[in-house]
Amino acid sequence: MSKQQRGKLVVGNWKMHGRLAANTALLQAVAQGADELPADVRVGVCVPSLYVAQAQSLLEGSPVVWGVQDVSAFTHGAYTGEVAAPMVTDFGATLAIVGHSERRAYHRESAELVAVKTQRALEAGLTPIVCVGETLEEREGGLTERVVGAQLDEVLAKLSAQEAARLVVAYEPVWAIGTGKSASAEQAQAVHAFLRARLAAEGAADVPLLYGGSVKPDNAEELFRQLDIDGGLIGGASLKAQDFLAICKAAAATSVAG
Ligand code: PGA
């Protein structure tokens, strides 16, 4: 499949932001803006799990899909505070971020746990957005490919080729997240090409590869023009409808219809 045929995917990662009233305005604005985008640009939002029902009631019937930022490694049971993937699907959600660097760092999620969570998401029918990325120290030590390769391999090792083909993978260099310091388009493309080759070896060459880390309206288009960048996972800029929609429009400008 060519780059054009893959289209573009832009997903907002709200992290632990938002309240009921503000979410309504943001979701309505995103739904309205997404209506005007070409069909080959898909838009999603990953909200705090408590608000997934709100996302469902405001986004159902719109082109915007929704989801959560994490799922449990278990389907049910005595796991206080956890949210299971099948529960998420009760609210029409189709996306689940897994292995975000904030969860790997602050919640000590191992590569193995991320792989199990990916399996639970797939079993429930969700599309896992598997995040990989290196720290600044790792990049400066020349370890980027080794680190992101190992993170991806741990997940792929647990999946059939058919399951692997249902993933979305997000390359999010830790040093670029929330820092205002995005990877350059060349740096991001180089890692995406590496990830693409790894996925191709598993028969999953067409998995959408998103870039995340300080994507803003003014740098989105250059990033999205790269051969192996199929869209973005957007943190801070997804909290402002105007900025998020500007990034979606940048995706449209780089798609076939754009
Ligand atoms: P950022 O976050 O866009 O605020 O850098 C991206 C992410 O962590 O998914």
Side-chain angles (χ1 to χ4, degrees):
M1 198 184 287
S2 74
K3 171 185 163 68
Q4 273 72 21
Q5 283 168 320
R6 286 199 297 272
K8 286 283 190 273
L9 172 64
V10 181
V11 178
N13 171 15
W14 287 10
K15 309 194 180 188
M16 200 172 71
H17 291 289
R19 296 289 300 277
L20 210 53
N23 296 350
T24 299
L26 178 54
L27 290 167
Q28 283 173 342
V30 169
Q32 202 173 9
D35 256 338
E36 290 153 26
L37 294 167
D40 61 345
V41 178
R42 293 174 296 147
V43 179
V45 288
C46 288
V47 301
S49 54
L50 196 59
Y51 295 120
V52 80
Q54 185 188 19
Q56 179 182 33
S57 76
L58 291 169
L59 296 177
E60 218 156 42
S62 89
V64 183
V65 292
W66 58 95
V68 292
Q69 302 162 14
D70 181 39
V71 288
S72 172
F74 303 95
T75 55
H76 63 279
Y79 302 103
T80 303
E82 291 281 279
V83 174
M87 297 173 178
V88 174
T89 64
D90 280 345
F91 297 92
T94 56
L95 302 174
I97 297 171
V98 288
H100 190 280
S101 62
E102 286 151 18
R103 295 212 60 89
R104 292 184 196 255
Y106 308 148
H107 301 270
R108 308 220 186 295
E109 291 196 5
S110 65
E112 158 87 22
L113 182 69
V114 172
V116 175
K117 288 184 170 197
T118 305
Q119 286 180 299
R120 294 294 92 80
L122 285 167
E123 281 162 16
L126 294 167
T127 298
I129 302 175
V130 178
C131 300
V132 299
E134 83 288 1
T135 62
L136 187 58
E137 206 183 357
E138 289 162 343
R139 171 162 284 266
E140 287 174 347
L143 298 173
T144 300
E145 291 190 355
R146 194 185 302 176
V147 170
V148 300
Q151 289 170 338
L152 182 61
D153 284 352
E154 188 89 25
V155 172
L156 293 177
K158 288 204 181 332
L159 307 181
S160 67
Q162 259 178 336
E163 288 168 328
R166 290 172 49 208
L167 299 177
V168 170
V169 171
Y171 168 55
E172 297 206 307
V174 177
W175 48 272
I177 296 177
T179 58
K181 193 179 168 220
S182 165
S184 70
E186 294 72 29
Q187 284 173 319
Q189 165 57 27
V191 179
H192 280 233
F194 169 78
L195 294 169
R196 177 84 64 209
R198 209 81 166 199
L199 285 157
E202 300 299 318
D206 293 328
V207 159
L209 286 177
L210 310 185
Y211 168 78
S214 298
V215 179
K216 306 283 180 233
D218 62 358
N219 63 9
E221 191 170 327
E222 198 194 348
L223 286 159
F224 296 164
R225 282 204 186 282
Q226 304 305 307
L227 185 64
D228 292 296
I229 301 186
D230 302 318
L233 184 57
I234 319 299
S238 72
L239 299 171
K240 281 195 199 138
Q242 210 184 351
D243 286 359
F244 186 60
L245 289 168
I247 292 168
C248 295
K249 282 189 191 139
T254 64
S255 73
V256 202

